[in-house]
Amino acid sequence: MQHLMNTYGRLPVSIARGEGPWVWDTEGRRYLDALTGIAVTGLGHAHPRVVAAIAEQAARVIHASNLYRIPEQERLADTLARVSGMDRAFFCNSGCEANEAAIKLARLHGHHRGIEQPVIVVMEKAFHGRTMATLSATGSRKVQAGFEPLLAGFARVPYGERAPLESLASRNGQVVAVLAEPIQGEGGIHIPDEGWLRFLRDLCDRQGWLLMLDEVQSGMGRTGRWFAHQHAGIVPDVMTLAKGLGNGVPIGACLARGHAAEVFTPGKHGSTFGGNPLVCAAAQATLDAIEQEQLMENATRMGGLIRAGLAQKLDGVAGVRQIRGKGLMIGIELDRPCGELVSHGLRAGLLINVTSETVVRLLPPLILQAAEAGLLVDTLAGLIRAFLQAEAAAPVAG
């Protein structure tokens, strides 16, 4: 590790291989993967469809420049348009690149409307990436600290609230778009009330703003629908995807519809590797598997089992504030920082994550079965109980 930049606090384990919801380290120890690379390998590891698609495409052509037509890219765009209701797709390599494209699209849209200093409304506790534009849009001072000056052109409001947005609409004529996550992932699995997304859609329609939804973590079947906003029965103007789109290969997408789909013209945006044949073949296989293997329905069932199981086993446990989630996007909020649970889980053969300091985040694969969901519940509930009991028994300093 001496030649790697010190950008990650890595755990003392090296993953050697994976199959389905399981991974094995270089010492041969098996772990239940309830994190899936942070919502990436939704089909689990080494899914036969994706393995075959990557191998077959690699034997034909891995990369072709976007200076030429790429049939695999066109087919993937057609499929995404069908399941999303969007009109056009731009392909890139990651979620932050997809959000970067959305931000550029909104600013260009604003300039087309004669707005010299366009403003994008973003949310507190949001996470949109680590490029300078997406970092500026992100609502975490911890992530932003040390990278000032941040980019101008963003107005921040509390997530899930209505009045601050209405107030902004009445006094800021420079707003051109709203960028929000339908469910905040890094912010702690925060789910707005059922009407908030419909309120956003109506407000943007009234104001002539673009509604841009970041589905990087919540999309690709994770919540039981293709995209989390579909639970609210709305369609955004712009939507960003990545993570689970390629089941592990680096691909992102910025989708748009209506006028927003026509904002970019040749030369306004691009990507050397974005949408190459290999990643598009993998993403198409991923979409086919989610649809044909009814994995969205399975995400709903397994998510319900996990939340109900945790609620039962943690009922009345002091220190557990809330269990929340939709589909297989689940958060267990404690009343104290609990980052050490990640290491405890590792020792117990369970891969989990803690976000926003106090929220245990679960993002299991969509292929999870009932026996594995039960094992996850039993193991995690035991870890949380033991952690809270140890904390309560610890002597008070002073």
Side-chain angles (χ1 to χ4, degrees):
M1 290 177 57
Q2 66 175 337
H3 298 301
L4 294 175
M5 286 193 181
N6 187 26
T7 53
Y8 297 95
R10 300 180 195 271
L11 293 164
V13 63
S14 298
I15 304 301
R17 67 182 181 93
E19 182 177 347
W22 301 96
V23 295
W24 288 260
D25 67 18
T26 51
E27 304 301 315
R29 189 175 184 196
R30 189 176 77 157
Y31 305 83
L32 179 60
D33 188 357
L35 184 60
T36 59
I38 314 183
V40 171
T41 50
L43 304 184
H45 300 276
H47 191 284
R49 285 179 186 264
V50 179
V51 170
I54 291 172
E56 292 167 10
Q57 187 60 51
R60 290 194 294 270
V61 60
I62 292 176
H63 177 77
S65 169
N66 281 296
L67 294 173
Y68 314 106
R69 290 185 63 176
I70 301 175
E72 296 81 8
Q73 186 182 113
E74 294 175 12
R75 181 186 174 206
L76 178 59
D78 290 345
T79 304
L80 286 171
R82 174 176 62 82
V83 301
S84 69
M86 308 300 273
D87 295 330
R88 294 184 183 271
F90 169 80
F91 292 107
C92 50
N93 308 290
S94 66
C96 67
E97 288 185 29
N99 286 325
E100 189 88 13
I103 290 167
K104 287 183 65 177
L105 187 154
R107 287 189 170 193
L108 189 58
H109 163 73
H111 285 289
H112 288 171
R113 295 177 57 193
I115 298 174
E116 293 186 5
Q117 300 291 329
V119 172
I120 300 171
V121 181
V122 292
M123 305 295 144
E124 293 178 1
K125 298 184 180 179
F127 184 85
H128 298 295
R130 295 180 184 274
T131 64
M132 282 309 301
T134 57
L135 185 72
S136 300
T138 288
S140 168
R141 282 301 304 149
K142 181 179 178 180
V143 173
Q144 294 171 337
F147 298 104
E148 296 84 356
L150 302 176
L151 269 63
F154 297 98
R156 197 171 309 282
V157 298
Y159 182 73
E161 296 186 15
R162 292 165 171 76
L165 280 157
E166 292 279 17
S167 174
L168 195 62
S170 67
R171 59 186 169 80
N172 192 328
Q174 305 299 303
V175 173
V176 297
V178 173
L179 173 62
E181 299 156 277
I183 298 175
Q184 287 190 331
E186 300 296 326
I189 313 297
H190 292 293
I191 305 172
D193 70 67
E194 291 186 357
W196 189 68
L197 288 176
R198 291 192 293 273
F199 161 77
L200 283 186
R201 179 68 278 175
D202 178 66
L203 178 65
C204 288
D205 287 341
R206 284 188 279 119
Q207 296 296 131
W209 300 345
L210 298 179
L211 176 57
M212 309 199 302
L213 296 181
D214 177 344
E215 291 267 13
V216 169
Q217 189 168 141
S218 58
M220 301 310 300
R222 178 146 297 280
T223 68
R225 301 291 297 271
W226 278 114
F227 314 108
H229 70 264
Q230 291 176 332
H231 292 283
I234 65 162
V235 183
D237 301 297
V238 179
M239 175 172 63
T240 56
L241 301 173
K243 288 191 179 290
L245 178 56
N247 207 58
V249 300
I251 180 172
C254 179
L255 311 182
R257 71 180 179 103
H259 170 74
E262 310 302 326
V263 171
F264 282 145
T265 54
K268 291 297 184 182
H269 199 49
S271 171
T272 296
F273 296 106
N276 71 45
L278 184 72
V279 298
C280 286
Q284 184 65 56
T286 300
L287 285 157
D288 290 344
I290 291 172
E291 193 164 45
Q292 295 170 24
E293 298 175 23
Q294 298 183 324
L295 296 183
M296 288 180 282
E297 294 85 346
N298 191 60
T300 299
R301 288 194 299 271
M302 293 303 106
L305 282 177
I306 293 169
R307 292 194 302 277
L310 288 171
Q312 180 183 29
K313 290 185 177 294
L314 296 175
D315 182 40
V317 175
V320 178
R321 280 185 172 165
Q322 189 179 32
I323 299 167
R324 54 182 180 259
K326 190 175 285 290
L328 287 172
M329 190 173 184
I330 300 167
I332 305 98
E333 184 177 0
L334 306 186
D335 66 355
R336 68 203 69 182
C338 57
E340 67 185 74
L341 278 170
V342 175
S343 296
H344 296 178
L346 200 65
R347 289 193 292 272
L350 181 64
L351 303 186
I352 58 173
N353 175 245
V354 168
T355 189
S356 196
E357 295 190 349
T358 61
V359 180
V360 179
R361 175 170 52 171
L362 301 178
L363 300 164
L366 310 186
I367 60 164
L368 200 74
Q369 297 301 302
E372 296 147 356
L375 176 61
L376 168 56
V377 168
D378 290 344
T379 305
L380 182 58
L383 291 172
I384 291 174
R385 279 179 171 272
F387 167 75
L388 292 171
Q389 288 168 1
E391 287 271 304
V396 178

